Amino acid sequence: MIRTEKTILIDRPIEDVFDYLADFKNDMQWRSELAEIRQTTGFARGQGARYEQRLTWGDREADADFEVVEYEPNRHIGFRGSSGSLSARGDYELDAEDGRTRLRVVGELELSGVLEAAEEMIGDAVQRAGEEDLRHLKDILESR
């Protein structure tokens, strides 16, 4: 299993950060591996919302779907997804701090089949991309 955990302080109110993250279509602006995302449920947000996405890593592509499984406004969004030999769990945890937002992002990837042999390499790439993506998210939100 690959587990990542990152925390970043964003100079924006918690409501602004939560609203941005809760609309997963915004992920196109800050997640480097995301080539496409489409919501598959009729309601915009909250627990039970489902999405399909196309992910790219170099010359590789994969389709994945995920569902919001936990949703506590201005506090927490939890989601689960899968794509072939990979299943994922993610959490956005938010705390207000003097008008700013401390965002903690936790991710877990479970690999099976041929991907298991490349777990260390995949884990390193996920760590690097996650750090860059969070810096980009911070830049986007603080420039608003």
Side-chain angles (χ1 to χ4, degrees), residues 3-4 20 27 33-35 41-43 45 47-48 54-56 63 66 73 82 90 96 98 103 121 125 131 138:
R3 186 173 197 286
T4 64
Y20 186 86
D27 286 16
E33 82 286 0
L34 188 59
T41 51
F43 51 93
R45 298 178 178 202
Q47 191 167 345
R54 176 168 294 278
L55 307 168
T56 60
D63 292 323
F66 70 95
S82 63
D98 297 325
L103 172 63
M121 181 181 70
E131 290 169 5
K138 176 181 172 72

Side-chain angles (χ1 to χ4, degrees), residues 17-71:
V17 176
F18 185 88
D19 285 345
Y20 186 86
L21 291 171
D23 184 351
F24 283 92
K25 290 176 281 177
N26 288 330
D27 286 16
M28 287 292 297
Q29 298 171 6
W30 66 276
R31 285 181 48 211
S32 59
E33 82 286 0
L34 188 59
E36 183 180 336
I37 190 164
R38 182 175 68 84
Q39 188 167 2
T40 59
T41 51
F43 51 93
R45 298 178 178 202
Q47 191 167 345
R50 292 175 175 259
Y51 298 83
E52 292 177 347
Q53 57 187 348
R54 176 168 294 278
L55 307 168
T56 60
W57 301 276
D59 62 345
R60 299 190 184 270
E61 289 188 353
D63 292 323
D65 45 304
F66 70 95
E67 177 180 1
V68 177
V69 294
E70 297 172 4
Y71 188 87

